[in-house]
Amino acid sequence: MKMYLPIWFYIGVLIIISLVIGIVFRVDFFLNWATPVFWTGYILVVDGVVYSFKGKSFVFYIGFPIVFLLSIFVWWFFEWTNIFLSNWHYHNLPDLLTRYIGYLWAFGTIIPAILLTYSLVLVITRDVKIEFHRFQVTNLLLGAMILLGLFFLLLPIVPFSMKYLDRSADPELFFWLKWLGDVKYSEYMAFAVWLSVFLILDPINYLMKKPSILGSIEKGNYKVILALSVAGIVCGVFWELVNWFAVIRWTYNVPILPQVKIFEMPILGYLGFIAFAWEIYDIVSFVFRSAIVRVQEWFV
């Protein structure tokens, strides 16, 4: 089959080139909307490359609007967790209506970007097998992962609840946790949030026989977890690179090694992008299995 790049690949390239020119010449539109503009172009480019190998588009897949909407809701969930973490903050925000247009546009690109990058990694490594000893998945492991995930999900909330301990029926009921009554402790718990959804959903997906990281590892196939990890890092670097040049942007408040940065992100934060890619995979698999099947078919 003769491979060719579809028209939307070139549209994506033009969008990214326009963004670069706009940033160089300090054009307000591109400086203010750098993140959603870049990711729109990126998604079109990567989808075009993957299409040239598979003959199937993810952007023009009938389920893409569902993935786009799911992406908005999922990132809003993580924004809620940041109330407790206080790890990132937005700056130079426009009026409320314009702001929400930007939120919907930018948030909607997150899951498509991760999944398409994952698909591209699979295409690039299509002839590579990454296999090791099979990993035995037991009911004990599944239960332990789910319980740990639930604990991790609740962990950042604990300091807030302890701060308002006087609202409980008996403030002495939790006297042994009073030392946690400083919300600053929550800032150290980002690792818990970025692992919690994976720990909860991956075992559930495994039990429901949906695509899961545990399911692939059990078969001795480590390609899924490694490809997702690469996709997370690649997207993370691009997110931070574009943000570095943007006017409407975010900064971080990470308490561990905050001074060691790549762009605006403290270096330890890049580990979070790996876990985030795992979480995205499991969320989409749980909610909309066919999207994962389409993204990784033929190459897993």
Side-chain angles (χ1 to χ4, degrees), residues 208-226:
M208 296 177 69
K209 302 192 183 306
K210 294 184 176 184
S212 67
I213 292 172
L214 282 175
S216 63
I217 290 176
E218 185 181 45
K219 298 173 184 175
N221 179 4
Y222 288 74
K223 192 171 186 176
V224 170
I225 190 171
L226 291 176

Side-chain angles (χ1 to χ4, degrees), residues 184-208:
K184 280 296 208 180
Y185 287 120
S186 291
E187 296 176 10
Y188 291 85
M189 298 176 184
F191 75 93
V193 168
W194 299 117
L195 286 171
S196 61
V197 177
F198 161 71
L199 290 170
I200 295 168
L201 283 186
D202 204 67
I204 293 174
N205 286 336
Y206 173 85
L207 290 170
M208 296 177 69

Side-chain angles (χ1 to χ4, degrees), residues 108-180:
T109 63
I110 292 171
I111 288 181
I114 290 283
L115 293 184
L116 278 166
T117 306
Y118 167 60
S119 187
L120 179 61
V121 174
L122 292 179
V123 166
I124 293 171
T125 61
R126 60 192 180 279
D127 296 323
V128 178
K129 289 186 177 182
I130 305 176
E131 297 178 345
F132 300 103
H133 294 295
R134 296 190 175 194
F135 183 83
Q136 185 177 2
V137 177
T138 64
N139 290 335
L140 179 61
L141 174 66
L142 297 173
M145 286 180 66
I146 293 172
L147 288 175
L148 183 61
L150 291 171
F151 174 71
F152 276 4
L153 192 58
L154 293 173
L155 192 59
I157 302 174
V158 174
F160 281 75
S161 65
M162 291 302 103
K163 182 177 180 180
Y164 298 102
L165 195 59
D166 59 328
R167 292 171 58 87
S168 64
D170 177 5
E172 300 307 318
L173 188 62
F174 295 99
F175 75 90
W176 42 279
L177 283 176
K178 281 185 177 180
W179 64 274
L180 271 173

Side-chain angles (χ1 to χ4, degrees), residues 12 15-16 18-20 22-23 27-44 68 71 75 79 88-94 98-99 101-113 235-252 263-264 273 276:
I15 290 172
I16 293 175
S18 298
L19 174 63
V20 172
I23 289 174
V27 178
D28 285 344
F29 174 81
F30 291 107
L31 291 172
N32 291 332
W33 296 83
T35 294
V37 168
F38 171 79
W39 286 106
T40 300
Y42 177 91
I43 287 167
L44 292 173
F68 185 88
S71 183
W75 188 251
E79 290 288 351
W88 65 89
H89 305 277
Y90 298 125
H91 302 279
N92 306 317
L93 295 170
T98 306
R99 187 183 311 179
I101 292 172
Y103 284 151
L104 295 174
W105 184 5
F107 293 177
T109 63
I110 292 171
I111 288 181
C235 287
V237 170
F238 278 124
W239 270 314
E240 299 309 324
L241 172 62
V242 175
N243 178 58
W244 182 255
F245 293 100
V247 168
I248 298 177
R249 61 201 304 268
W250 59 86
T251 56
Y252 293 97
F263 305 118
E264 192 63 51
F273 288 119
F276 181 58

